[in-house]
Amino acid sequence: MNRHLISAADLSRDDSLLILDTAEELASIADRPIKKLPTLRGRTVVNLFFEDSTRTRISFEAAAKRLSADVINFSAKGSSVAKGESLKDTALTLEAMGADAVVIRHGASGAAHRLARWVRGTVVNAGDGTHEHPTQALLDAFTIRRRLLGIERARGQGLDGMRVTIVGDVLHSRVARSNVLLLSTLGAHVTLAAPPTLLPLAVGSWPCGVSYDLDSELPKSDAVMMLRVQQERMTAAYFPSVREYSRRYGLDATRMTRLPDHAIVMHPGPMNRGVEIAAEVADSPRSTIVEQVANGVTVRMAVLYLLLGGAELPAVTQ
Ligand code: NCD
């Protein structure tokens, strides 16, 4: 496995399965009264967040702390970045502090890749612009595998033959890009369902199918992943109105009945309830949204553990 995790494309099928299986092992620890492991004691993990984040930042922090690493949270607001300090100077400061791993979220696509050239430690991409968010794809794959195969049958398995439909604002979504790459590496068939204006031009070269008609995709889906309409990244009108968007690409209770009985509904958060997903869908038993957040901690523990080469995990009794 690479020293850094910048793109889901960095992961082979074996790497991905190793991360998911390690996360399964760590998940059994999360059920114990004492959740902490000594594996990364003495290591320093820096969370470097230039963009707002709730779930991802807290989740990386919880993951590092459960492995006993020292955690430094650095947010661009209130730091010298607000005074115009460059990413490179910030990186050199972190380097001087002896960071073993830097978890970076940045508004510019390619920022994590750049950082990896400037620091000696491991770099984990926690979202760079509209480019990639590989740990989100890993936690999504983990969630799909657990829900559709069951916890007992999950270990060692890929997602072979499973059908995943990713819906909505693909153009601005680093989550979609990382998921297409990772889920296809794991053997799933991915289809993007979106209006043509919200699909990237290069989508023809991605390992997935494309559809403009959500209703015809739903009956064939084992998992449907709704994406947030990312209004803050939109520089033009990509659809006539929010109402029109919801009517064609939003998942409401009526549309959800088109899914097979076993199918799950996912969303990476934050949700626009009533736009891409109706409240009754988000809160329904098919929804994995809360599980995705919980799984995020275990999957990020597995990533940090494997990339930083932590001490061996204690034997876990099931
Ligand atoms: C996503 C992100 O920031 O890329 N959220 C997340 O990490 N859970 C998706 C989004 O912002 O819509």
Side-chain angles (χ1 to χ4, degrees), residues 162-299:
M162 291 182 192
R163 297 184 159 274
V164 182
T165 306
I166 303 180
V167 186
D169 187 359
V170 178
L171 182 64
H172 301 104
S173 179
R174 50 200 178 202
V175 173
R177 191 179 296 252
S178 289
N179 261 303
V180 167
L181 293 168
L182 183 75
L183 299 180
S184 63
T185 298
L186 287 169
H189 299 291
V190 183
T191 303
L192 302 174
T197 49
L198 287 177
L199 286 167
L201 279 177
V203 79
S205 64
W206 292 15
C208 62
V210 170
S211 165
Y212 305 132
D213 179 15
L214 176 57
D215 284 329
S216 65
E217 295 306 318
L218 292 177
K220 298 181 268 181
S221 306
D222 299 304
V224 55
M225 190 182 297
M226 306 309 296
L227 300 173
R228 183 172 67 89
V229 175
Q230 300 197 22
Q231 254 141 358
E232 80 279 15
R233 295 191 205 273
M234 292 190 182
T235 49
Y238 290 89
F239 43 81
S241 69
V242 169
R243 199 155 156 236
E244 175 68 12
Y245 177 86
S246 300
R247 204 179 57 76
R248 294 209 46 199
Y249 294 99
L251 191 61
D252 61 12
T254 317
R255 187 164 265 149
M256 188 167 70
T257 61
R258 302 180 78 94
L259 284 168
D261 288 342
H262 68 274
I264 55 172
V265 175
M266 312 176 76
H267 194 303
M271 288 181 270
N272 295 309
R273 284 176 185 251
V275 181
E276 70 270 1
I277 190 164
E280 64 262 52
V281 174
D283 302 330
S284 79
R286 282 175 186 276
S287 159
T288 60
I289 297 168
V290 177
E291 272 161 67
Q292 284 170 267
V293 177
N295 291 340
V297 178
T298 20
V299 167

Side-chain angles (χ1 to χ4, degrees), residues 32-181:
R32 296 181 186 175
I34 296 167
K35 298 182 173 41
K36 217 158 168 145
L37 288 174
T39 4
L40 294 185
R41 194 184 284 155
R43 310 292 189 89
T44 301
V45 175
V46 176
N47 282 325
L48 183 60
F49 278 64
F50 293 87
E51 262 192 3
D52 294 341
S53 168
T54 310
R55 272 156 287 268
T56 307
R57 194 181 57 73
I58 294 174
S59 162
F60 269 109
E61 183 175 350
K65 285 185 171 163
R66 284 193 194 164
L67 294 172
S68 305
D70 294 319
V71 182
I72 300 175
N73 287 315
F74 179 105
S75 101
K77 279 181 199 139
S79 74
S80 291
V81 171
K83 299 178 189 163
E85 188 166 31
S86 69
L87 177 61
K88 182 162 187 180
D89 290 327
T90 308
L92 297 176
T93 306
L94 300 177
E95 186 68 4
M97 288 177 186
D100 296 293
V102 182
V103 176
I104 178 174
R105 167 164 290 196
H106 198 285
S109 301
H113 180 75
R114 266 295 176 84
L115 186 70
R117 287 203 260 141
W118 293 326
V119 295
R120 245 168 302 155
T122 287
V123 172
V124 181
N125 183 4
D128 62 328
T130 58
H131 178 228
E132 283 221 36
H133 193 354
T135 59
Q136 178 71 43
L138 284 162
L139 77 89
D140 289 336
F142 183 84
T143 305
I144 296 172
R145 194 174 79 155
R146 274 199 144 190
R147 265 286 191 120
L148 295 181
L149 295 181
I151 298 177
E152 294 72 32
R153 289 179 50 221
R155 279 183 208 215
Q157 300 297 312
L159 304 178
D160 302 288
M162 291 182 192
R163 297 184 159 274
V164 182
T165 306
I166 303 180
V167 186
D169 187 359
V170 178
L171 182 64
H172 301 104
S173 179
R174 50 200 178 202
V175 173
R177 191 179 296 252
S178 289
N179 261 303
V180 167
L181 293 168

